[in-house]
Amino acid sequence: GAVVSQHPSRVICKSGTSVKIECRSLDFQATTMFWYRQFPKQSLMLMATSNEGSKATYEQGVEKDKFLINHASLTLSTLTVTSAHPEDSSFYICSATGSGGAGYEQYFGPGTRLTVT
Amino acid sequence: AQSVSQHNHHVILSEAASLELGCNYSYGGTVNLFWYVQYPGQHLQLLLKYFSGDPLVKGIKGFEAEFIKSKFSFNLRKPSVQWSDTAEYFCAVNRKTGANNLFFGTGTRLTVIP
């Protein structure tokens, strides 16, 4: 089946620094990738949707200048948390879909736990 | 706006008991429906999905779900749970047309006691 990887799985950074999280589709071409944030004991909240080669579409309330998303190739999307603060500590999950249009299955990465000290 | 409700936050069952997890959604248009499972320490995996046709869909590991359009529901069922079913279960929907981003419910934690 389709596999999505994320790197790193865990990262600890100091307040004010930037952190980059990678999301890769290992055995398929991901035309669309999604970035979610999951708070403890809560559901996944969609942050943004990115299509290869175009700018990401951010959900309401998500700061695009703080959460930079790049989808430069059909197998890689990156999320950079800029000037991280402790409140950015969370579990970040990406997913990818290989076809356009609604309803196609999303394949999820294992997530990245970010801790900002 | 779309929303997905999962009424059970934590369900505790003994092995061999039957399971039913509720999911209701709110959306004016037609949707696709999904159940995902997240085992401890693992990533989200698709259990089953409904796009169209027979409203009773069967998924992996003996799970099934029934789409009841009049009730805007998509409840997950399993006749006999196992200890290995202990996990977090998420219901999700997306629109049939336009952007296919998923809207998730808050999740239900299932604990199966051996």
Side-chain angles (χ1 to χ4, degrees), chain A residues 34 43 101-103 105-106 109, chain B residues 32 43 46 51 95-96 100 104-105:
Chain A
F34 304 86
S43 186
E105 182 175 343
Q106 291 183 28
Chain B
N32 302 302
H43 59 278
L46 181 67
F51 288 172
R95 292 174 289 186
K96 280 198 180 294
N100 62 339
F104 283 86

Side-chain angles (χ1 to χ4, degrees), chain A residues 8 11-14 17-21 66 68 79-84 112 114-116:
Chain A
V11 58
I12 301 172
C13 70
K14 291 186 177 182
T17 61
S18 296
V19 174
K20 180 184 283 188
I21 302 170
K66 181 170 186 60
L68 300 179
L79 167 68
T80 301
V81 183
T82 62
S83 187
T112 297
L114 170 64
T115 303
V116 185

Side-chain angles (χ1 to χ4, degrees), chain A residues 4 32 34 36 38 41-46 49 59 91 93 95 97 99-111, chain B residues 32 34 36 38 41-46 49 51 88 90-91 94-107 109:
Chain A
V4 176
T32 305
F34 304 86
Y36 296 85
Q38 186 178 27
K41 299 188 178 183
Q42 294 189 30
S43 186
L44 284 75
M45 298 296 295
L46 179 67
T49 302
E59 295 299 303
F91 196 54
I93 302 172
S95 71
T97 182
S99 300
Y104 287 92
E105 182 175 343
Q106 291 183 28
Y107 300 95
F108 285 83
Chain B
N32 302 302
F34 306 81
Y36 285 88
Q38 188 173 31
Q42 296 189 29
H43 59 278
L44 280 167
Q45 299 173 45
L46 181 67
K49 59 191 175 188
F51 288 172
E88 190 91 18
F90 293 94
C91 181
N94 69 5
R95 292 174 289 186
K96 280 198 180 294
T97 57
N100 62 339
N101 45 293
L102 289 165
F103 293 87
F104 283 86
T106 50
R109 181 180 299 274

Side-chain angles (χ1 to χ4, degrees), chain B residues 8-27:
Chain B
N8 312 104
H9 297 294
H10 191 188
V11 173
I12 302 173
L13 294 173
S14 297
E15 275 195 318
S18 64
L19 170 72
E20 180 160 3
L21 301 182
C23 173
N24 288 88
Y25 68 94
S26 171
Y27 180 62

Side-chain angles (χ1 to χ4, degrees), chain B residues 69-80:
Chain B
K69 189 175 180 180
S70 60
K71 295 185 177 180
F72 296 89
S73 70
F74 190 56
N75 292 355
L76 180 70
R77 299 194 293 250
K78 185 171 183 178
S80 176

Side-chain angles (χ1 to χ4, degrees), chain A residues 47-108:
Chain A
M47 298 175 65
T49 302
S50 73
N51 293 295
E52 185 265 338
S54 60
K55 290 185 177 181
T57 302
Y58 290 80
E59 295 299 303
Q60 192 172 11
V62 178
E63 300 176 59
K64 62 181 181 181
D65 294 330
K66 181 170 186 60
F67 298 100
L68 300 179
I69 292 172
N70 185 286
H71 191 166
S73 77
L74 284 171
T75 59
L76 173 65
S77 176
T78 59
L79 167 68
T80 301
V81 183
T82 62
S83 187
H85 291 284
E87 56 265 30
D88 298 325
S89 297
S90 190
F91 196 54
Y92 293 87
I93 302 172
C94 75
S95 71
T97 182
S99 300
Y104 287 92
E105 182 175 343
Q106 291 183 28
Y107 300 95
F108 285 83

